[in-house]
Amino acid sequence: MKFFADTADIDAIAELNELGMLDGVTTNPSLILKSGGNIVEVTKAICDMVDGPVSAEVVATEADAMIAEGRKLAAIADNIAVKVPLTWDGLHACRTLSNDGFLVNVTLCFSAAQALLAAKAGAGFISPFIGRLDDINLDGLELVRDIRQIYDNYGYETEVLAASIRSVSHVTECALIGADVITAPPAVIRQMAAHPLTDKGLAAFLADWEKTGQKIL
Ligand code: E4P
């Protein structure tokens, strides 16, 4: 399973990258705002650091303008994935940009029917938003499961990029379902290492070690 960091925080990306955890990065306009930086500069810095795809999102809403923005974003680096929203215009932009050889991530996917359209429009990635569905009492993981099934039924090569991940169990469930990629905030990836029994066991080992009076170094 591939891990993308869902952030534009350069320091957090650098730490995960050095640990060998990162296969890519996803950004969006809200994450760029949070970073406080300029979209081109921040995206270029991320692309220089990370080998895998780095999603940069268009903000136009009309197809031709999305395509123009997508081309401009793609010029930042070879590993840009142009992110377009799952609207009718976004599907037009997806088709044109993918025909031109650009990798496209179709974002803001909230139904299996939308995901089917994105695959047919040539998307490299489809991004179903788990957490935002859970927020309105729907089942985000069920959407990931449905998309996996539909793509497998017909052999679509569009990768399922599970997004809007809020918890460690979202990551585990996506791995069980067979999502190709998860994109998660760095804090969630870090939280995956934590277990109360690990902490308890370590405390007991250290207490016993203290009693031996020995030193390793
Ligand atoms: C995906 O690419 C989005 O950037 C992201 O996962 C949105 O997550 P949120 O719902 O936590 O904002």
Side-chain angles (χ1 to χ4, degrees):
M1 168 179 257
K2 287 183 256 187
F3 274 21
F4 290 1
D6 197 25
T7 184
D9 178 334
I10 300 283
D11 292 340
I13 292 168
E15 187 195 3
L16 289 169
N17 200 40
E18 277 159 26
L19 257 182
M21 297 292 169
L22 277 201
D23 303 292
V25 171
T26 51
T27 67
N28 63 39
S30 305
L31 293 171
I32 294 294
L33 172 69
K34 204 170 161 190
S35 78
N38 167 275
I39 182 170
V40 175
E41 287 165 14
V42 171
T43 307
K44 171 108 182 64
I46 298 170
C47 288
D48 286 347
M49 194 186 302
V50 176
D51 285 337
V54 175
S55 290
E57 188 161 341
V58 302
V59 290
T61 54
E62 183 272 324
D64 286 342
M66 283 187 199
I67 293 163
E69 285 185 357
R71 289 189 176 128
K72 186 168 179 191
L73 292 171
I76 294 173
D78 289 344
N79 54 337
I80 286 285
V82 179
K83 214 176 183 191
V84 301
L86 212 159
T87 58
W88 198 247
D89 280 77
L91 292 169
H92 276 279
C94 174
R95 168 51 67 195
T96 300
L97 290 166
S98 66
N99 278 351
D100 288 353
F102 299 115
L103 182 59
V104 181
N105 175 359
V106 179
T107 189
L108 289 167
C109 172
F110 294 97
S111 78
Q114 289 181 312
L116 192 46
L117 291 175
K120 292 188 75 67
F125 297 108
I126 183 69
S127 291
F129 275 39
I130 299 172
R132 293 192 195 190
L133 282 167
D134 290 357
D135 288 345
I136 58 163
N137 261 347
L138 294 173
D139 188 343
L141 288 167
E142 187 182 13
L143 173 60
V144 177
R145 210 172 283 116
D146 287 351
I147 296 172
R148 176 74 285 152
Q149 173 80 61
I150 289 168
Y151 282 7
D152 288 349
N153 285 351
Y154 298 100
Y156 289 119
E157 288 178 6
T158 303
E159 291 190 62
V160 180
L161 196 178
S164 189
I165 296 252
R166 304 274 169 79
S167 64
V168 172
S169 70
H170 276 160
V171 177
T172 311
E173 289 299 322
C174 284
L176 287 166
I177 290 166
D180 299 287
V181 192
I182 55 100
T183 188
V188 170
I189 298 175
R190 191 186 180 92
Q191 185 63 26
M192 291 170 72
H195 197 286
L197 291 179
T198 304
D199 295 341
K200 190 178 169 192
L202 181 59
F205 287 154
L206 293 181
D208 285 344
W209 180 249
E210 191 70 24
K211 289 176 205 156
T212 70
Q214 299 178 39
K215 288 201 179 334
I216 293 177
L217 291 176

